[in-house]
Amino acid sequence: MKAFYAQEQKRHDPKAFLSSGAAQPNPERPERVERLLAGAASAGCTIERPRNHGLGPVSAVHTPEYLDFLEHIFDRWQRIDGASAEVIPNIHPIARNGSYPASAVGQAGYHIADTACPISGETWQSALWSAWSAAEAAETVMAGAPAAYALCRPPGHHAFADVAGGFCFINNSAVAAQILRRNAARVAILDVDLHHGNGTQGIFYARPDVLTVSLHADPVRFYPFFWGHADERGEGPGLGYNFNLQLPRKSADAAFLETLEIAFQRIRAFSPDALVVALGLDAFEGDPFGGLSVTTPGFSRIGEAIARLGLPSVIVQEGGYLCDALGDNLTAFLTGFGGKAR
Ligand SMILES: [Zn+2]
């Protein structure tokens, strides 16, 4: 299987975020890349650099004002007297029924959901190349490969059309799905990250051509709190095209695989022409977030089960944080999925 990654993706290096009000080291570390590259190589992947895809694939799923914000906010922020080294918002509109702010501080609060997304001078390029890795993987599958892996870092599934959040800036899974739509009438996105893919849900919420299915730790007491519940089913023409499956905290392999079968029923009924797997590895029992208890062999079984859908698949890296088994978990998933055979 081909894998895609560009070294620019490693430059984004956020320092901190707030967790339950306390400043903590930001877990979305550049070192994640080394573990994931090793994991992909162990699964037999050849790692290639994506081409520059321009803004087209990104602007297909994000608003122009948001992309303009992401590209320029760091420089604007630096002109504020006494501003922090990274862009971190401290005020947010609680609803979108007011005016779009002109100031850098106001726009930061408008476009960034939480403190997990500090923006430095490197962030825009890292996020763009991460999206281009997803774009290249999607084009590879469109050209006939049965599957491709995009080592997307920063991750993407918490990014809405015009909001960053949860370590995510550009929604790489959405970028891949939208590219697949050029050839595929229907595309399904299956999100197996520990956290609900709220940004992906938001981008496709009113659309019947992209089915979004997410399995995740129950958001009743877990990020992203406001989304990921069973009664979020889509809206307008998209009603019935969004499906959320919640797992109790600390659920292990058996419960995860059982719930995955429910997701598959919905995906088969949609009869998609292609699949995007939003692959978070943070459901792992040893992940620092500690939400679920999937094992390393469990990721292999999850990969096997998804491959049995028999769909052309773009596998997009989402979460999964520094722990000894991070690379092994990717190897397990990709090997289970088909690894060397593909
Ligand atoms: Zn996650």
Side-chain angles (χ1 to χ4, degrees), residues 7 11 23 57 87 98 104 141 152 154 164 172 184 204 221 229 254 282 293 337:
Q7 61 189 17
R11 292 187 188 157
V87 179
V141 168
C152 291
N172 308 304
F204 297 109
R221 287 189 181 78
H229 304 274
D282 43 5
S293 299
F337 192 89

Side-chain angles (χ1 to χ4, degrees), residues 170-194:
I170 296 174
N171 194 312
N172 308 304
S173 290
V175 166
Q178 190 64 36
I179 288 175
L180 291 171
R181 274 286 287 111
R182 291 178 198 158
N183 283 1
R186 287 180 305 284
V187 175
I189 302 177
L190 172 61
D191 189 320
V192 297
D193 189 279
L194 166 65

Side-chain angles (χ1 to χ4, degrees), residues 10 19 230 252 261 318 322 327:
K10 204 178 166 187
S19 179
E261 289 300 327
E318 299 286 358
L322 288 179

Side-chain angles (χ1 to χ4, degrees), residues 157-158 193-195 282 319 321:
H157 74 150
H158 297 308
D193 189 279
L194 166 65
H195 303 95
D282 43 5
Y321 299 91

Side-chain angles (χ1 to χ4, degrees), residues 12 14 16-17 26 86-89 112-120 123 158 164-169 223:
H12 169 65
F17 81 129
N26 193 304
E86 298 169 305
V87 179
I88 302 174
I112 306 177
D114 52 45
T115 58
C117 296
I119 293 175
S120 69
T123 302
H158 297 308
F167 317 128
C168 301
F169 302 91
Y223 189 94

